[in-house]
Amino acid sequence: MPPKDAPSGLRISPFIDRLAHKATMVANAREGYATSTHAHDCDMLFVPLAGRFDIVDAQGDPLQSSPGHFLWFAAGAAHATSAQTLRQTHVAVYVESEFWEMALRAQGVHAPAQGMRAGSAALTALSQQVLWLAQAGEAEERVVAHCGALVMEAARLTAHPLVQPNDRGAPAQVLAALLADDIEADLARALSLDAFAERHRLSRRQVERIFKAAFAA
């Protein structure tokens, strides 16, 4: 049954029957990714990991999203997504609405607006970890545990203001933090900026500019 708040005639993508553990993750790395306007019968968190995306949100406003952002759409909220870049990777986490509301309450967040917000290095790391675990065929319990942690981190971040269409600072800050984490993970190894840039669909020059802007004295 479609969510009661879904607009009449809107295509509803069903996931609620799959949520045996309150949340499930679907990863997508398809080239040329695009969806028409649709909604889900549960809440959804959209976390870009590589590439850039054009998104029409629940209010019909166009947004541009990239790694360092995440989006929350409530059950029944219409949205459409397409990749600006041929190559992309994103994680979609489908969450039982009552579980999402519980996560928000646990983080002290009340009546947040839907839309795009700045992510965090922790959210990106959790998303990548869930993706790797699923790809490696790890036990469902491990995937579910990381998925729950991802939902809680997203709930915490939902207390922050919505990212406006012309605000490009937050993703750069997250990418700079991820770059710093890569450097600190193995100080004896020279970090390949080219590899980091390719992983996040950036040029080496963009990576250098982001890092200098974040850490220059």
Side-chain angles (χ1 to χ4, degrees):
M1 176 179 294
K4 63 181 181 180
D5 295 330
S8 176
L10 181 67
R11 178 173 67 87
I12 302 295
S13 175
F15 272 90
I16 195 71
D17 290 340
R18 306 189 207 177
L19 304 184
H21 299 281
K22 308 298 184 182
T24 190
M25 183 276 294
V26 175
N28 191 300
R30 187 171 75 243
E31 293 187 351
Y33 174 81
T35 67
S36 58
T37 302
H38 66 288
H40 301 287
D41 58 359
C42 57
D43 289 50
M44 184 189 76
L45 303 170
F46 182 95
V47 186
L49 293 176
R52 284 162 176 72
F53 300 84
D54 286 321
I55 295 172
V56 178
D57 68 11
Q59 288 71 44
D61 296 326
L63 299 169
Q64 291 186 337
S65 185
S66 57
H69 290 135
F70 79 100
L71 294 99
W72 161 49
F73 294 111
H79 59 279
T81 307
S82 60
Q84 296 177 10
T85 51
L86 180 63
R87 297 174 63 192
Q88 61 82 34
T89 304
H90 71 271
V91 167
V93 180
Y94 299 92
V95 189
E96 185 181 79
S97 296
E98 291 184 1
F99 180 57
W100 176 242
E101 291 176 2
M102 181 193 72
L104 291 171
R105 289 196 301 271
Q107 297 292 348
V109 181
H110 303 282
Q114 296 180 67
M116 183 167 68
R117 289 177 169 82
S120 66
L123 184 71
T124 299
L126 284 166
S127 301
Q128 291 173 334
Q129 187 67 23
V130 171
L131 174 61
W132 293 332
L133 289 172
Q135 290 176 333
E138 290 287 340
E140 185 179 7
E141 291 77 11
R142 289 194 68 194
V143 177
V144 168
H146 281 80
C147 199
L150 189 159
V151 170
M152 292 301 293
E153 174 65 3
R156 182 185 73 82
L157 296 169
T158 303
H160 297 171
L162 291 173
V163 173
Q164 301 305 313
N166 61 350
D167 182 358
R168 307 305 295 168
Q173 293 169 3
V174 173
L175 285 169
L178 289 172
L179 181 58
D181 288 345
D182 278 8
I183 293 172
E184 293 174 357
D186 189 353
L187 294 175
R189 174 180 57 88
L191 176 70
S192 171
L193 289 184
D194 292 327
F196 183 90
E198 182 179 0
R199 187 159 68 248
H200 293 282
R201 306 295 185 262
L202 299 167
S203 69
R204 180 189 175 101
R205 185 175 180 181
Q206 285 175 305
V207 172
E208 291 173 342
R209 187 166 60 247
I210 287 170
F211 190 80
K212 288 178 180 177
F215 297 106

